[in-house]
Amino acid sequence: MGCAPSIHISDSRVVYHSGKESDDSNSPQQTNTLSQQQQQTNSVPGLFIKSPNTSTYKAAVTEVQFGPMRLHQDQLQVLLVFAKEDSQSNGFCWACEKAGFKYNIARTPETALESFLDKHHQIIIIDHRNSRNFDAEALCRSIRATKPSENVVVIAVVRRQSDRDEASIMPLICAGFTRRYVENPNIMTCYNELIQLEYGEVLAQFKLRACNSLFTTLEKSQEAIEITSEDHIIQYVNPTFESMMGYQKDELVGKDLTEVPINEKKSDFLDTINSCIKTGKEWEGVYYTKNKHGDNIHQNVKVIPVFGHRGKIRHYVSISRPCNDNNKVEKQCERVQAESQTDIQTCRHKDRRKGSLDVRSTTSRGSDGSSQRRHSSMARIHSMTIEAPITKVINIINAAQENSPMPVAEALDRVLEILRTTELYSPQLGTKDEDPHTNDLVGGLMTDGLRRLSGNEYIFSAKQVHPVSGHLISSLSLTDIPPRIAQVMDNEEDWEFDIFELEAATHKRPLVYLGLKIFARFGVCSFLNCSEATLRSWLHVIESNYHSSNAYHNSTHSADVLHATAYFLCKERVKQSLDPIDEVAALIAATVHDVDHPGRTNSFLCNAGSELAILYNDTAVLESHHAALAFQITTRDDKCNIFKNMERNEYRTLRQAIIDMVLATEMTKHFEHVNKFVNSINKPLAAVEETVGSIGEDDSVKNVLTSPENRILIKRMLIKCADISNPCRALQQCIEWAGRISEEYFAQTDEEKRQGLPVVMPVFDRHTCSIPKSQISFVDYFITDMFDAWDAFADLPNLMQHLDNNFKYWKGLDEKQLKTLRPPTE
């Protein structure tokens, strides 16, 4: 199998230094210094103490043997959180001095959290004796909500109670404490507690922290690695294994090896391995295996038994890599030079109707000046046997550089630099750096927020889902909608339809009425095989879970997005692309895409440490919540379960499409979605249009429009454009939406200031904000390119005219230095 690359894992080292660092200027200063002499004991490995005839003991684990790894541990740091100085806090201070630990003292939860985020203490001791000073359990939860707390030991100092009054420790465990310490200011008692922590919980957490390095190594390994239990249950596979075998990790973990169709003779193969490794020996050999797609892979395999408790085999580690196919690599490199010139000529397409469809994020931003690096470290990619698509692209570019003229090679070097970045589709601000409105919009909408540095905690409690209220909907039917509402909806198929008239006519319940009419027009009930009564119930329960108190993200916004979605679905090219199941998925996704929106951005929720942000790991927090909650409230009650009569496979397909579209509304992937649409759909269609009259044009267009991958891109683009189509509405609607979103952002800024959280969009201060400037920045940065691409596909001249008129309107206000929605009345 060849020699594995050597791997070096290091941890930070520090010289011995003891003493206190206080976070409070009024805390007592400790002037006591400790001797630096150390002597390693024979009884406890890694324990260093001062000579017994001195008064100061030194305990510091500096080197820890963890299997074959030798770990170097920092000098321990302790954070003492006591509102006031007393004998107990002094006891722990003296114990830290005696043990040789650094320590800090914090008097408030805010300074405690800030100190911890700065210094990453291994031990935190919190005074839990008096709730009048501060809420110790709330502080512990705040600490546990931060990522650095994963391997921290948190101790609660509690009052001494009589046996009769002894309380349960479970509330402390639930709050995140590791253990409790019954108050005792005796210095040796405090010292013994610290030493027990050092060689118990702290040492165990230190080893667990080292495991992250090992798993990082496994994740980045170019060899396929599989770990199973003693009973051959798969417990881990690394990304290389997934790529090589064609399986996702979730398809493998928890399955028995014999259940996964990787090898037709897996049982016989395992018997052969077992006969070898029962004696504790490794098994190594070559065999053919089949990946998920049925392709044969010739592999070198090594299986290693791992012994654990009582000397029994507890795990098997399988390391494999495909046998090299050098001929394939050589032939690929020979083809590159012949293909490269053809590729360059055929990749330049221009749409007749819209001109260049490249958006700003596709523009090369390579470094200035010429590059002399003909051969970079990327050359070793040629030796890889597991290649992702981007790896193949880089291989082709590297091979093309070999015999290319210097200017071409330098240009390809710049291409490689761009490809090495992780944000391939997100543009840099460039000249927009000086525009605070653009910066704030990008920061507020396209990031998950700054991590907060205060102890303030903003928690959104679990939302109580509104049940279906039968008396509110029993009389509502498509055939007996009140005449005034029906009249307002007469032109709902037109882009000029006024959603605000419907909002007023329905007393802020437009979603149920508009949903009934649009879903009937598209035959959704027939497709889902559900009754109109079930659809009515579903629309009502969805609308009741939108927050009418939100200025913007309420059911009127949902109804507006539903209207835009239905309008786009009727465009000829969209109809050519999508199947009925895609249309139904789009209408449902539009209806639920912002359900239970709290009126705050993802950045706010992440900074506030909200329950939703913790649940979804600060990633696509709201969009994940909207999709999950929509299915929860739909399926929990048969009265509103519109999916209950669907066939299982069809339901799963529909569900995945809905989830994908809702997640596509998250703005961090905005430029990725737009550019994939441009490069996978707009440009190929433009190339076909340039060859009008050629044989097979219709088939070429159909292939572009109906491929499964492109249908997904079209649906994502459709709901994205529907979601932020406000600048393309008629002027008065555009102005109303601008006022509503501005008010919601103003309210968030007010809340951030009250809570002491980072203000993610400072320009949205209700006292200073220029609404015209914010709209200009939003249109210029997010809207123009996206709707240029969508118009080139769907042909939307009326929307583009509105967009142009509205942009001129905001420009006119800005040129007059007005900050309001409308000019002052005459």
Side-chain angles (χ1 to χ4, degrees):
M1 294 182 64
C3 297
S6 61
I7 300 169
H8 175 68
I9 302 173
S10 64
D11 204 328
S12 57
R13 312 182 190 189
V14 298
V15 296
Y16 284 96
H17 171 71
S18 64
K20 175 185 68 112
E21 296 175 13
S22 176
D23 288 315
D24 297 86
S25 58
N26 60 351
S27 61
Q29 297 298 314
Q30 302 290 334
T31 57
N32 182 32
T33 57
L34 301 175
S35 170
Q36 301 302 308
Q37 288 182 294
Q38 300 161 351
Q39 177 178 335
Q40 185 171 7
T41 65
N42 295 324
S43 57
V44 184
L47 173 63
F48 294 87
I49 64 172
K50 195 172 183 287
S51 177
N53 62 355
T54 64
S55 61
T56 302
Y57 292 77
K58 181 74 174 179
V61 180
T62 57
E63 287 191 353
V64 177
Q65 197 71 26
F66 182 40
M69 291 180 66
R70 174 173 287 185
L71 309 176
H72 294 268
Q73 185 175 3
D74 296 337
Q75 183 183 16
L76 289 189
Q77 297 193 71
V78 181
L79 176 60
L80 304 175
V81 188
F82 288 83
K84 299 177 181 179
E85 178 185 1
D86 60 8
S87 59
Q88 184 63 75
S89 65
N90 288 336
F92 275 116
C93 290
W94 295 328
C96 289
E97 292 282 353
K98 184 177 287 292
F101 300 162
K102 279 187 175 182
Y103 67 94
N104 301 84
I105 301 174
R107 301 298 186 198
T108 66
E110 290 78 10
T111 55
L113 189 58
E114 187 171 356
S115 177
F116 169 68
L117 291 174
D118 179 42
K119 300 184 182 300
H120 297 178
H121 307 82
Q122 291 94 337
I123 301 173
I124 302 176
I125 300 175
I126 302 175
D127 187 2
H128 193 280
R129 295 171 296 169
N130 193 338
S131 60
R132 288 178 297 179
N133 295 328
F134 55 78
D135 189 341
E137 294 181 16
L139 172 59
C140 185
R141 283 192 291 269
S142 298
I143 292 172
R144 289 300 188 193
T146 65
K147 189 171 183 179
S149 71
E150 182 180 359
N151 301 112
V152 172
V153 177
V154 187
I155 309 300
V157 178
V158 300
R159 289 192 180 280
R160 184 178 299 278
Q161 304 285 342
S162 64
D163 293 341
R164 184 178 59 184
D165 298 328
E166 181 71 18
S168 170
I169 198 174
M170 283 309 300
L172 299 178
I173 299 297
C174 293
F177 287 98
T178 309
R179 56 189 286 180
R180 70 176 183 179
Y181 175 86
V182 179
E183 63 177 342
N184 187 337
N186 181 276
I187 185 172
M188 285 307 298
T189 305
C190 295
Y191 171 80
N192 289 336
E193 176 72 11
L194 292 177
I195 298 305
Q196 290 182 78
L197 290 173
E198 180 186 17
Y199 287 96
E201 286 87 347
V202 173
L203 186 58
Q205 292 295 333
F206 181 62
K207 292 180 178 179
L208 284 176
R209 189 175 67 193
C211 289
N212 292 333
S213 301
L214 300 177
F215 274 106
T216 299
T217 304
L218 294 177
E219 290 286 293
K220 299 301 181 182
S221 173
Q222 295 180 17
E223 295 180 311
I225 298 173
E226 177 189 57
I227 300 176
T228 63
S229 69
E230 56 191 309
D231 299 319
H232 301 297
I233 303 299
I234 300 174
Q235 296 183 329
Y236 170 83
V237 294
N238 70 344
T240 303
F241 187 97
E242 290 179 272
S243 176
M244 182 171 69
M245 303 309 301
Y247 287 89
Q248 296 296 317
K249 188 173 297 185
D250 292 341
E251 296 177 282
L252 297 173
V253 173
K255 299 288 184 64
D256 192 292
L257 276 176
T258 57
E259 296 176 5
V260 182
I262 295 177
N263 192 311
E264 296 174 346
K265 299 181 179 180
K266 177 61 70 88
S267 298
D268 296 339
F269 174 62
L270 291 176
D271 290 338
T272 303
I273 295 177
N274 283 330
S275 64
C276 173
I277 61 181
K278 279 180 181 178
T279 59
K281 297 179 180 178
E282 298 178 1
W283 183 92
E284 185 170 0
V286 178
Y287 78 104
Y288 282 90
T289 185
K290 285 190 176 182
N291 63 14
K292 184 178 181 179
H293 307 296
D295 301 322
N296 282 319
I297 301 177
H298 193 198
Q299 289 182 317
N300 289 305
V301 180
K302 179 185 288 187
V303 181
I304 306 164
V306 180
F307 293 85
H309 186 56
R310 296 181 178 177
K312 292 185 178 180
I313 295 175
R314 299 300 182 185
H315 296 91
Y316 297 105
V317 177
S318 171
I319 305 173
S320 58
R321 75 165 54 184
C323 298
N324 289 330
D325 188 352
N326 294 326
N327 292 334
K328 180 179 177 181
V329 175
E330 291 174 1
K331 290 178 181 178
Q332 181 186 32
C333 292
E334 290 172 359
R335 288 199 310 267
V336 168
Q337 193 170 5
E339 294 174 349
S340 60
Q341 293 299 321
T342 304
D343 291 342
I344 291 172
Q345 294 299 321
T346 58
C347 72
R348 298 191 181 101
H349 303 309
K350 186 175 181 181
D351 191 315
R352 293 181 291 108
R353 187 168 39 172
K354 294 300 300 180
S356 175
L357 288 171
D358 287 337
V359 297
R360 59 173 57 88
S361 58
T362 60
T363 304
S364 172
R365 288 183 174 87
S367 56
D368 294 333
S370 60
S371 171
Q372 300 298 324
R373 293 172 295 149
R374 292 295 304 275
H375 305 286
S376 71
S377 59
M378 299 300 290
R380 63 174 179 268
I381 292 177
H382 288 301
S383 64
M384 293 177 61
T385 54
I386 304 298
E387 291 183 329
I390 190 64
T391 307
K392 294 178 180 178
V393 171
I394 293 174
N395 276 340
I396 293 171
I397 293 174
N398 273 317
Q401 279 184 303
E402 293 298 325
N403 299 310
S404 298
M406 180 63 73
V408 175
E410 290 176 348
L412 292 176
D413 255 346
R414 290 194 293 274
V415 171
L416 289 173
E417 288 178 7
I418 295 171
L419 292 178
R420 292 187 194 108
T421 65
T422 57
E423 297 297 330
L424 292 178
Y425 293 95
S426 297
Q428 302 168 358
L429 284 178
T431 59
K432 294 181 181 289
D433 281 338
E434 298 177 359
D435 180 0
H437 292 81
T438 300
N439 281 334
D440 282 4
L441 284 168
V442 173
L445 299 178
M446 297 189 65
T447 67
D448 288 323
L450 303 170
R451 298 313 304 159
R452 55 192 170 85
L453 295 177
S454 72
N456 294 307
E457 191 76 8
Y458 192 98
I459 297 295
F460 284 98
S461 60
K463 177 80 168 64
Q464 296 297 319
V465 176
H466 298 287
V468 182
S469 178
H471 72 277
L472 287 176
I473 62 170
S474 58
S475 63
L476 178 60
S477 172
L478 188 60
T479 58
D480 59 2
I481 290 177
R484 180 173 176 236
I485 296 176
Q487 182 179 4
V488 171
M489 293 195 299
D490 275 347
N491 68 331
E492 57 87 15
E493 297 183 34
D494 189 359
W495 183 253
E496 307 306 315
F497 170 70
D498 192 341
I499 193 67
F500 298 115
E501 286 188 19
L502 183 62
E503 179 190 59
T506 60
H507 304 290
K508 296 187 177 181
R509 290 177 55 220
L511 186 57
V512 170
Y513 293 94
L514 186 63
L516 278 172
K517 186 165 186 184
I518 289 178
F519 278 47
R521 176 153 61 92
F522 281 85
V524 173
C525 286
S526 175
F527 180 88
L528 297 176
N529 192 23
C530 74
S531 66
E532 185 184 321
T534 303
L535 176 62
R536 293 198 309 268
S537 299
W538 179 78
L539 285 169
H540 177 80
V541 75
I542 292 297
E543 182 157 42
S544 64
N545 278 278
Y546 276 91
H547 298 198
S548 59
S549 58
N550 289 344
Y552 182 88
H553 288 100
N554 49 42
S555 67
T556 303
H557 167 66
S558 173
D560 183 63
V561 175
L562 175 61
H563 171 263
T565 299
Y567 182 82
F568 294 152
L569 288 174
C570 293
K571 305 308 291 183
E572 188 60 35
R573 200 168 248 175
V574 177
K575 289 194 293 185
Q576 293 174 11
S577 308
L578 303 183
D579 294 334
I581 193 171
D582 299 314
E583 295 180 350
V584 172
L587 294 172
I588 294 174
T591 305
V592 305
H593 82 282
D594 272 334
V595 67
D596 196 36
H597 197 294
R600 300 290 183 266
T601 64
N602 280 333
S603 298
F604 178 93
L605 299 183
C606 295
N607 287 334
S610 75
E611 291 177 357
L612 289 179
I614 294 171
L615 177 63
Y616 294 110
N617 301 313
D618 291 353
T619 304
V621 175
L622 285 172
E623 292 73 23
S624 300
H625 176 60
H626 302 322
L629 183 67
F631 282 95
Q632 287 172 1
I633 61 182
T634 300
T635 59
R636 68 176 49 171
D637 187 347
D638 270 1
K639 288 189 297 183
C640 63
N641 187 356
I642 57 177
F643 307 123
K644 62 185 176 183
N645 295 324
M646 293 190 71
E647 189 270 329
R648 179 182 297 276
N649 289 335
E650 191 171 45
Y651 167 68
R652 287 181 60 84
T653 302
L654 178 66
R655 169 175 156 79
Q656 288 304 313
I658 294 168
I659 293 172
D660 184 79
M661 292 184 74
V662 173
L663 294 181
T665 62
E666 194 226 350
M667 293 300 288
T668 62
K669 299 290 184 66
H670 173 81
F671 292 102
E672 178 177 343
H673 292 320
V674 172
N675 280 285
K676 284 182 177 178
F677 182 85
V678 169
N679 289 293
S680 298
I681 297 173
N682 280 143
K683 289 184 177 180
L685 286 177
V688 172
E689 289 177 356
E690 285 183 348
T691 57
V692 174
S694 62
I695 298 175
E697 179 191 347
D698 291 341
D699 290 338
S700 299
V701 171
K702 185 177 180 181
N703 291 338
V704 173
L705 295 179
T706 61
S707 73
E709 297 82 2
N710 285 353
R711 281 167 52 205
I712 291 173
L713 297 180
I714 292 168
K715 286 183 289 183
R716 289 174 181 172
M717 191 72 164
L718 185 151
I719 197 168
K720 280 183 61 62
C721 290
D723 188 28
I724 53 176
S725 63
N726 306 153
C728 297
R729 292 287 186 181
L731 178 60
Q732 293 307 314
Q733 293 186 52
C734 174
I735 293 172
E736 177 64 23
W737 283 124
R740 293 189 177 198
I741 192 62
S742 297
E743 176 54 39
E744 197 164 285
Y745 287 162
F746 293 159
Q748 174 170 310
T749 300
D750 295 342
E751 184 73 16
E752 287 165 337
K753 291 179 179 178
R754 284 196 301 271
Q755 295 290 330
L757 299 172
V759 178
V760 295
M761 293 187 286
V763 297
F764 283 97
D765 185 309
R766 66 175 68 251
H767 305 295
T768 60
C769 179
S770 168
I771 295 178
K773 283 186 182 296
S774 69
Q775 287 297 304
I776 291 169
S777 296
F778 182 67
V779 170
D780 187 43
Y781 200 72
F782 290 103
I783 297 297
T784 301
D785 291 328
M786 182 174 73
F787 271 93
D788 277 344
W790 187 234
D791 173 46
F793 177 78
D795 191 15
L796 304 162
N798 51 338
L799 276 73
M800 302 309 291
Q801 186 61 55
H802 282 315
L803 178 61
D804 186 52
N805 294 341
N806 296 337
F807 189 78
K808 290 177 180 177
Y809 172 81
W810 298 120
K811 273 286 191 182
L813 291 182
D814 184 48
E815 289 170 358
K816 296 176 183 178
Q817 298 184 343
L818 297 174
K819 297 183 177 181
T820 54
L821 288 168
R822 295 176 175 87
T825 56
E826 292 296 334

